Amino acid sequence: MSLVSTSQKIIAYSGIVLFLVGITGNTMNIIVFSSVPAYRRAPATFYFLIESIFKCIFLLVNLPPRIIAFSFGYDFANESVVWCKTRQYLLMMSSTTAVSCICLSTIDQYFVTSPNPSLRRMSRIKWSHRIVTIVIITWFLHAIPFCLYFNISPITKTCISTNQTLSFYIPIYFLLVACATPVLIISIFTGLAYRNIRRTAVPARQRADRQLIQMTLMQVVLVLLSVSQLGVWYMYTVITSGTVKNQDQMLKEYLIYAIISTETTIYYSGSFYVFVCTSSRFRQTIKEFFFARRRTNTVHPSQQA
């Protein structure tokens, strides 16, 4: 079996699994975090809710077209200019918003676990609503050039950036904005939150929830494992940008990138299962929320004397 055929099968099969697992898990997150009162009041879980919504958007826009392209050789983005532009816009907007939310939840856990009352007071649900609104507007505006300047190339017949400045910015963006900056923010505030936990007998004595802290920290591990792969790839891309490559090497690099970018969606697919594994409270909430509703909706036959 050739390298191309093997790579296509890996991308298609893993993409199907990640898509089904991710949509199911993120939908569960959305239902729980938007319906359970205890979670609706916590800024960190509000960030989880918004993150899950944009993860669903990313998975829906990213994986089905990729699966079809590598399974059947048909990429609609190379046929429709509207879809070419729309897909790039939604991918950029949803991915950056989702990653921003995990950064915000990490920062919030630093505030929550702080022994300083002034810092703990900075963790407020009203503030988180405003911050998320600003973040969404920022990334909506940031994605506009990708919508404007992505087009179907008349030479390669593929959906690519047709603007030289944007083409130069894309690897820098992925390396610095999408990878290095989130990893730096997450690492710093995770370390600070962990230090706060170690310093106090009861984490965030007045407001913190150890289970919520565990959920956030394990999300961080998922992000670091996923995003770091893409960061290493774009670092390699920048370093070798001036190297002349033959067709065989370019094909191998494209397949490697396709595999890495598909597997990176583990971050977009795995949060619900991380929450289930790390938080007994979350597991109990899931059981109570769904099974209690089942019992409530069950019609019991009337008992005759």
Side-chain angles (χ1 to χ4, degrees):
M1 188 177 290
S2 68
L3 174 64
V4 174
S5 178
T6 303
S7 302
Q8 288 176 336
K9 289 183 182 297
I10 292 173
I11 294 166
Y13 293 147
S14 61
I16 292 170
V17 172
L18 289 170
F19 176 74
L20 295 176
V21 167
I23 291 296
T24 303
N26 284 309
T27 302
M28 295 286 283
N29 283 342
I30 293 168
I31 293 171
V32 172
F33 291 140
S34 62
S35 304
V36 178
Y39 284 137
R40 286 207 306 265
R41 293 191 293 267
T45 49
F46 174 70
Y47 294 135
F48 291 161
L49 170 63
I50 302 301
E51 180 188 14
S52 296
I53 293 171
F54 282 94
K55 281 179 176 179
C56 279
I57 295 173
F58 180 87
L59 290 172
L60 286 167
V61 174
N62 183 37
L63 288 182
R66 184 184 291 263
I67 294 166
I68 293 171
F70 281 93
S71 299
F72 305 103
Y74 180 80
D75 191 344
F76 192 58
N78 296 336
E79 304 294 333
S80 169
V81 174
V82 174
W83 177 240
C84 169
K85 293 176 176 290
T86 303
R87 183 170 185 265
Q88 291 302 321
Y89 180 83
L90 292 175
L91 286 176
M92 296 303 300
M93 177 271 296
S94 59
S95 61
T96 47
T97 304
V99 173
S100 296
C101 285
I102 185 60
C103 292
L104 290 170
S105 65
T106 309
I107 295 170
D108 178 75
Q109 289 309 293
Y110 163 66
F111 291 148
V112 168
T113 58
S114 174
N116 186 332
S118 298
L119 288 177
R120 288 204 302 273
R121 283 195 292 270
M122 295 182 71
S123 176
R124 296 183 179 181
I125 191 67
K126 288 184 179 180
W127 288 14
S128 64
H129 290 167
R130 295 168 186 169
I131 291 169
V132 164
T133 301
I134 294 171
V135 166
I136 291 174
I137 292 172
T138 300
W139 292 127
F140 266 60
L141 296 175
H142 171 266
I144 289 175
F146 292 85
C147 180
L148 294 177
Y149 297 116
F150 261 77
N151 212 326
I152 299 174
S153 168
I155 300 173
T156 62
K157 305 298 182 182
T158 57
C159 178
I160 61 172
S161 167
T162 56
N163 180 275
Q164 189 174 358
T165 303
L166 183 62
S167 300
F168 177 77
Y169 169 73
I170 288 173
I172 297 174
Y173 157 78
F174 276 107
L175 183 60
L176 298 180
V177 179
C179 297
T181 301
V183 167
L184 184 63
I185 292 173
I186 288 169
S187 300
I188 290 173
F189 284 96
T190 298
L192 291 173
Y194 182 73
R195 185 194 64 179
N196 290 340
I197 294 170
R198 294 290 299 272
R199 285 182 174 181
T200 55
V202 180
R205 283 165 285 198
Q206 297 182 3
R207 302 178 60 192
D209 179 349
R210 184 184 292 272
Q211 297 285 319
L212 191 54
I213 295 168
Q214 290 175 349
M215 290 164 68
T216 304
L217 297 184
M218 290 309 298
Q219 270 261 82
V220 167
V221 174
L222 196 63
V223 173
L224 295 177
L225 290 175
S226 300
V227 173
S228 59
Q229 299 179 55
L230 206 56
V232 170
W233 169 257
Y234 277 103
M235 187 179 297
Y236 166 80
T237 302
V238 172
I239 293 172
T240 61
S241 59
T243 306
V244 178
K245 303 174 184 178
N246 57 39
Q247 189 173 0
D248 181 62
Q249 185 177 356
M250 291 173 65
L251 175 61
K252 290 178 180 177
E253 289 184 356
Y254 171 73
L255 293 173
I256 291 171
Y257 166 72
I259 293 173
I260 290 175
S261 60
T262 301
E263 303 310 318
T264 300
T265 55
I266 290 172
Y267 159 64
Y268 296 90
S269 303
S271 59
F272 171 78
Y273 309 96
V274 168
F275 295 156
V276 169
C277 292
T278 58
S279 173
S280 58
R281 176 186 172 186
F282 187 77
R283 291 195 297 272
Q284 186 62 32
T285 301
I286 293 290
K287 291 178 183 177
E288 292 176 355
F289 183 79
F290 288 101
F291 288 100
R293 286 197 167 194
R294 255 189 187 178
R295 288 195 295 270
T296 302
N297 293 332
T298 300
V299 178
H300 299 282
S302 59
Q303 295 182 352
Q304 303 270 338

